[in-house]
């Protein structure tokens, strides 16, 4: 195994993803897919997206069909979120369950955890089934990564 693979495997082994949404909620997905399709390596993409960070996505973790499905779900989640709340350890994205279902969040999280295993995913159904929440958390520094990758509005 090369150093990059060892680093990814080590990160993956240390961090657990429980269930739900993450790494590419906005323009970050399109940028990584464009980089991948133009022939850039994961290492080059990582350096351009998160220089000096331990957080980077393994774009090759998803097959082309999985990646296309994941991108469509990502676009739906971005357009469907009703609120973004900063938490102590990350961010929570809120959705109307009539627009984004728990099943779609779980599907998205399962795929996202393959390419971004450093996220912890939390999905909640609240307010008697009228609110679905996806909370993304992780190790120290994750907030900056989420802000960048999900192109969150400035405070």
């Amino acid at each position: 195994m090369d150093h990059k693979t060892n680093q990814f495997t080590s990160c993956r082994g240390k961090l657990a993803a429980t269930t739900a949404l993450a790494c590419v909620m906005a323009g970050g997905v399109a940028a990584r897919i464009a980089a991948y399709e133009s022939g850039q390596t994961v290492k080059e993409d990582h350096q351009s997206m998160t220089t000096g960070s331990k957080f980077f996505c393994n774009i090759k973790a998803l097959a082309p069909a999985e990646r296309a499905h994941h991108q469509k779900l990502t676009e739906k989640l971005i357009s469907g979120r009703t609120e973004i709340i900063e938490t102590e350890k990350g961010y929570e994205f809120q959705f109307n369950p009539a627009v984004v279902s728990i099943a779609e969040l779980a599907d998205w999280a399962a795929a996202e955890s393959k390419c971004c295993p450093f996220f912890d995913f939390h999905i909640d159904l609240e307010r008697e089934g009228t609110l679905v929440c996806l909370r993304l958390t992780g190790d120290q520094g994750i907030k900056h990564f989420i802000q960048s990758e999900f192109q969150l509005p400035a405070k």
Side-chain angles (χ1 to χ4, degrees), residues 41-61:
T41 66
V42 172
K43 181 177 179 184
E44 290 168 342
D45 185 38
H46 163 247
Q47 290 175 341
S48 68
M49 297 299 291
T50 58
T51 302
S53 174
K54 64 182 177 179
F55 306 114
F56 62 93
C57 298
N58 177 4
I59 193 78
K60 294 182 180 181

Side-chain angles (χ1 to χ4, degrees), residues 20-149:
L21 178 63
C23 168
V24 206
M25 270 196 155
V29 171
R32 280 192 297 282
I33 290 171
Y36 177 78
E37 290 175 350
S38 70
Q40 281 185 294
T41 66
V42 172
K43 181 177 179 184
E44 290 168 342
D45 185 38
H46 163 247
Q47 290 175 341
S48 68
M49 297 299 291
T50 58
T51 302
S53 174
K54 64 182 177 179
F55 306 114
F56 62 93
C57 298
N58 177 4
I59 193 78
K60 294 182 180 181
L62 299 176
E66 291 175 307
R67 195 170 50 254
H69 175 70
H70 187 64
Q71 182 178 4
K72 286 181 182 180
L73 272 178
T74 300
E75 291 167 2
K76 181 175 184 174
L77 296 177
I78 291 169
S79 66
R81 60 188 180 199
T82 57
E83 193 162 348
I84 301 168
I85 299 171
E86 183 173 354
T87 66
E88 182 180 337
K89 296 181 178 183
Y91 285 88
E92 176 177 282
F93 302 96
Q94 297 184 348
F95 305 91
N96 176 335
V99 176
V100 175
S101 71
I102 291 176
E104 289 171 316
L105 287 178
D107 186 13
W108 186 91
E112 190 67 23
S113 69
K114 290 178 182 179
C115 62
C116 298
F118 49 84
F119 278 119
D120 293 330
F121 302 95
H122 314 265
I123 299 173
D124 297 310
L125 180 60
E126 301 177 1
R127 298 185 191 156
E128 298 180 8
T130 63
L131 179 66
V132 176
C133 303
L134 169 71
R135 197 170 62 253
L136 297 176
T137 61
D139 284 350
Q140 186 174 5
I142 197 75
K143 280 185 174 183
H144 179 71
F145 181 82
I146 294 169
Q147 290 165 349
S148 173
E149 289 300 303

